[in-house]
Amino acid sequence: MASRLNPYISFNGDAREAMEFYKSVFGGTLALNTFGEFGQEGAGSDKIMHAMLETDEGYTVMGSDTPPGMPYNPGDNITVSLSGDNGDVLRGYWEKLSSSGNVSMPLEKQMWGDEFGACVDKFGINWVVNISTQQS
């Protein structure tokens, strides 16, 4: 898979509705995963942990509900996402973006099997990097 760069939008509990709206605007295929699918029980388990809309025009929009306990700040709720399976290239981007910024989640293996990290670069831009586990 080639690496991709796309927006990642945080929502205040209405990610499902928003992503379904974007699908009605742009068309394409929408995949939704809830927090409950990854083991969270109780309140919020039906909220969206990750959504990805891939359109026929080649656009990708990702999003999620802001987890409980994390701040939701309109205007500061869009992140740039870098993802793919070229680990060396993506780790290089991560090093450059995070070295002079602030790391909020180190780039490391996550419960879904991929390497993932989050940072804010020196200009205040939010970035996430996800390195997919190659399927054999």
Side-chain angles (χ1 to χ4, degrees), residues 5 7 20 23-24 71 77 99-100 111:
L5 184 144
E20 288 173 349
K23 182 179 190 280
S24 76
N77 59 328
S99 67
S100 59
M111 66 181 152

Side-chain angles (χ1 to χ4, degrees), residues 20-66:
E20 288 173 349
F21 170 73
Y22 298 141
K23 182 179 190 280
S24 76
V25 172
F26 299 111
T29 304
L30 176 61
L32 299 168
N33 298 100
T34 65
F35 286 98
E37 291 175 87
F38 287 93
Q40 179 177 325
E41 297 178 0
S45 64
D46 63 334
K47 296 299 181 187
I48 301 301
M49 180 177 168
H50 178 70
M52 182 165 67
L53 174 63
E54 295 183 282
T55 73
D56 297 337
E57 295 296 322
Y59 307 138
T60 300
V61 178
M62 294 182 186
S64 66
D65 284 310
T66 303

Side-chain angles (χ1 to χ4, degrees), residues 12-122:
N12 195 23
D14 55 359
R16 180 183 304 273
E17 179 184 355
M19 295 301 292
E20 288 173 349
F21 170 73
Y22 298 141
K23 182 179 190 280
S24 76
V25 172
F26 299 111
T29 304
L30 176 61
L32 299 168
N33 298 100
T34 65
F35 286 98
E37 291 175 87
F38 287 93
Q40 179 177 325
E41 297 178 0
S45 64
D46 63 334
K47 296 299 181 187
I48 301 301
M49 180 177 168
H50 178 70
M52 182 165 67
L53 174 63
E54 295 183 282
T55 73
D56 297 337
E57 295 296 322
Y59 307 138
T60 300
V61 178
M62 294 182 186
S64 66
D65 284 310
T66 303
M70 292 185 68
Y72 173 78
N73 300 310
D76 187 28
N77 59 328
I78 296 180
T79 298
V80 182
S81 171
L82 283 166
S83 58
D85 59 11
N86 189 334
D88 292 338
V89 170
L90 291 168
R91 282 184 204 94
Y93 294 152
W94 169 261
E95 289 302 319
K96 292 174 185 174
L97 289 165
S98 65
S99 67
S100 59
N102 294 310
V103 174
S104 55
M105 179 178 283
L107 182 63
E108 58 191 19
K109 190 163 182 113
Q110 300 297 320
M111 66 181 152
W112 59 89
D114 295 349
E115 287 180 64
F116 178 86
C119 69
V120 178
D121 72 17
K122 65 182 178 180

